[in-house]
Amino acid sequence: MNVLIINSGSSSIKYQVLDMATETVLAVGLVERIGEEVGRLKNTVRPDSAEARETVLEQPIPDHRTGMELAIGLLTDPAQGVLRDGAVIGAVGHRVVHGGEDFSGSMRITPQVIEALERNIPLAPLHNPANLDGIRVAMEIFPDLPQVAVFDTAFHQTMPPRAFLYAIPYELYEQDRVRRYGFHGTSHRFVAGECARLLGRPLEECNLITVHLGNGCSMTAIENGRSIDTTLGMTPLEGLVMGTRSGDVDPALHLFLKQNKGMELEAIDALLNKESGLKGLCGMNDMRDIHRAAEAGDRRAAIALEVQTYRNRKYLGAYMAVLGRVDAIVFTAGIGENDAVVRAESLRGLEHLGVVLDGGRNSERSREARCISSEASRVRVFVIPTNEELAIGRETVAVVRG
Ligand code: AMP
């Protein structure tokens, strides 16, 4: 079955067409600047092969529907589309950011599911409406295809109350569902599954800590295959230091900034989400630039690295305490997969907890899943490339096949 994966944002749509029989990417694309004067669509056919071919369109793309139709036009183009000659899409899988407490797994999209997504808009006011746009457009274009929602939050619905409740008046949870939800669930679930395979054990018997370090960063404590705690909270702002997001701060910071800097709440929210994290500390949010700058003597770049890796280490220690037995720690996403220095610094000093890196293995560059701990390490350490689209494709097929 070919599955179309859609990740619809407020002014962009990312998509992939996957052949799920072979788990290969037939096409990948990005529609961006929707609603701006000139929009852009980039479509790449068979990106992982020698015949990869890229098409770029620049023209006004007033709305999501136009963007999706342009993409479908390229995919089904009789001369060079990947879906020519009768190849069809069998199902559509949608990445959905916030499922609230309504979804602990992927769901076939029905009017009830759409209603629940609308109900959860207050929890993700930027993301859920954009995801819903993508769902509505795909349902209009493909009215007869099964459509599946795969939620960023679903994997973490197994967290117990002691991990998901904030210590604030309980009524805020009861009435407004204010609690920790966690995100990146598709990625944590995917690399946990791959890790179990490498350990040669069922996931249900594995205790893992999965560390997703990309532009967004989060860490999850997994007990017997289930998420029992994770660093992102009610929104994707809590926890680790991210590219432009602060992670944990004292909540009284809001009042301080208002009283001393005259900032409105919206400006503070933007500051913490878009101007903080690595970027706030050193002006850069790409880890490659930060390393170059730190090596050239830029002190703030060095500090940014230290603050991020120290926070990683602190949460690793916390999750080791929470789990007791840890079979493996898994690094994934842009930084986690590529950055040997961040991995080594995040694990520095954890030898007494049974975590011993193999320096040689850690610095080897590879795109494959691999073990980077030494033979003496009680806790194994892996680098496992995440693949959220493939995970969404697998979930979609599983839901469609019941
Ligand atoms: P992601 O959100 O998973 O796509 O990760 C994006 C981030 O990964 C970028 O902003 C970089 O900071 C980081 N990254 C990508 N490639 C490398 C690399 N080779 N070394 C270090 N960091 C990298």
Side-chain angles (χ1 to χ4, degrees):
M1 185 197 289
N2 296 325
V3 175
L4 171 66
I5 314 290
I6 296 179
N7 180 355
S8 173
S10 56
S11 64
S12 69
I13 306 170
K14 287 187 203 145
Y15 63 87
Q16 280 197 9
V17 180
L18 296 179
D19 174 351
M20 292 309 298
T22 51
E23 297 199 332
T24 49
V25 184
L26 299 182
V28 49
L30 172 64
V31 186
E32 44 187 350
R33 298 188 222 132
I34 296 172
E36 290 181 31
E37 215 165 291
V38 185
R40 186 170 191 272
L41 163 57
K42 184 168 120 182
N43 182 73
T44 310
V45 164
R46 301 187 188 280
D48 303 324
S49 75
E51 311 100 70
R53 204 178 50 248
E54 192 178 292
T55 310
V56 176
L57 302 179
E58 293 202 345
Q59 64 182 82
I61 303 178
D63 48 36
H64 284 67
R65 171 155 195 154
T66 311
M68 208 59 242
E69 279 174 347
L70 280 172
I72 301 297
L74 287 179
L75 295 171
T76 53
D77 180 83
Q80 49 181 340
V82 285
L83 295 176
R84 64 180 192 278
D85 303 335
V88 292
I89 293 170
V92 185
H94 296 269
R95 175 176 185 230
V96 179
V97 168
H98 217 308
E101 287 190 323
D102 292 293
F103 303 104
S104 54
S106 305
M107 290 291 287
R108 179 105 171 220
I109 297 175
T110 61
Q112 290 75 23
V113 169
I114 292 188
E115 230 171 79
L117 287 178
E118 285 169 343
R119 209 168 44 240
N120 284 317
I121 286 178
L123 292 171
L126 296 179
H127 290 104
N128 272 24
N131 298 159
L132 274 162
D133 277 344
I135 290 173
R136 290 203 180 94
V137 164
M139 291 179 86
E140 281 167 27
I141 299 180
F142 304 108
D144 300 325
L145 286 189
Q147 314 251 348
V148 174
V150 180
F151 301 94
D152 249 26
T153 48
F155 181 54
H156 303 299
Q157 276 297 300
T158 46
M159 282 195 287
R162 62 173 177 270
F164 75 62
L165 283 174
Y166 291 115
I168 57 176
Y170 194 74
E171 295 69 34
L172 282 168
Y173 169 56
E174 285 185 315
Q175 290 161 18
D176 300 284
R177 300 289 133 196
V178 174
R179 51 160 283 180
R180 312 183 61 256
Y181 290 93
F183 299 86
H184 296 148
T186 312
S187 173
H188 288 289
R189 166 83 184 69
F190 179 82
V191 297
E194 296 295 300
C195 181
R197 218 168 38 78
L198 292 171
L199 291 170
R201 266 196 263 167
L203 179 58
E204 296 69 35
E205 291 172 17
C206 294
N207 282 7
L208 309 171
I209 301 175
T210 47
V211 189
H212 177 112
L213 302 177
N215 250 321
C217 300
S218 66
M219 191 182 298
T220 298
I222 297 173
E223 185 178 64
N224 298 323
R226 292 152 65 94
S227 167
I228 60 157
D229 204 349
T230 192
T231 55
L232 290 170
M234 182 168 92
T235 76
L237 185 56
E238 202 179 324
L240 305 180
V241 175
M242 305 175 229
T244 65
R245 288 177 253 165
S246 62
D248 295 340
V249 293
D250 185 334
L253 179 61
H254 290 72
L255 187 64
F256 178 90
L257 292 174
K258 182 169 189 318
Q259 289 180 337
N260 292 279
K261 306 293 270 183
M263 290 177 75
E264 296 300 329
L265 277 179
E266 288 71 16
I268 298 171
D269 189 60
L271 175 106
L272 294 174
N273 275 290
K274 301 199 172 105
E275 302 297 332
S276 296
L278 297 169
K279 183 179 176 196
L281 286 166
C282 71
M284 293 167 271
N285 59 325
D286 191 307
M287 200 44 106
R288 289 160 289 196
D289 298 334
I290 296 175
H291 281 301
R292 271 192 289 273
E295 278 155 27
D298 182 330
R299 247 199 74 64
R300 278 177 41 187
I303 282 284
L305 256 172
E306 248 188 80
V307 174
Q308 192 194 49
T309 53
Y310 173 76
R311 183 85 51 91
N312 293 344
R313 198 150 72 231
K314 193 159 94 169
Y315 269 107
L316 277 167
Y319 285 175
M320 293 184 86
V322 160
L323 286 167
R325 187 196 90 228
V326 177
D327 301 310
I329 295 170
V330 182
F331 285 92
T332 193
I335 299 172
E337 290 165 29
N338 294 300
D339 197 321
V341 175
V342 167
R343 290 192 299 256
E345 282 301 301
S346 301
L347 298 174
R348 191 157 57 84
L350 299 185
E351 291 82 4
H352 66 292
L353 295 174
V355 186
V356 188
L357 260 194
D358 179 309
R361 287 180 183 168
N362 183 40
S363 18
E364 255 167 50
R365 295 197 61 83
S366 159
R367 294 178 70 182
E368 301 299 314
R370 59 202 183 274
C371 177
I372 57 168
S373 48
S374 84
E375 298 306 322
S377 190
R378 198 167 66 239
V379 178
R380 298 185 73 192
V381 183
F382 291 93
V383 175
I384 300 182
T386 193
N387 190 336
E388 290 180 75
E389 288 77 16
L390 177 58
I392 293 173
R394 286 181 186 168
E395 288 280 316
T396 301
V397 170
V399 168
V400 169
R401 301 226 162 110

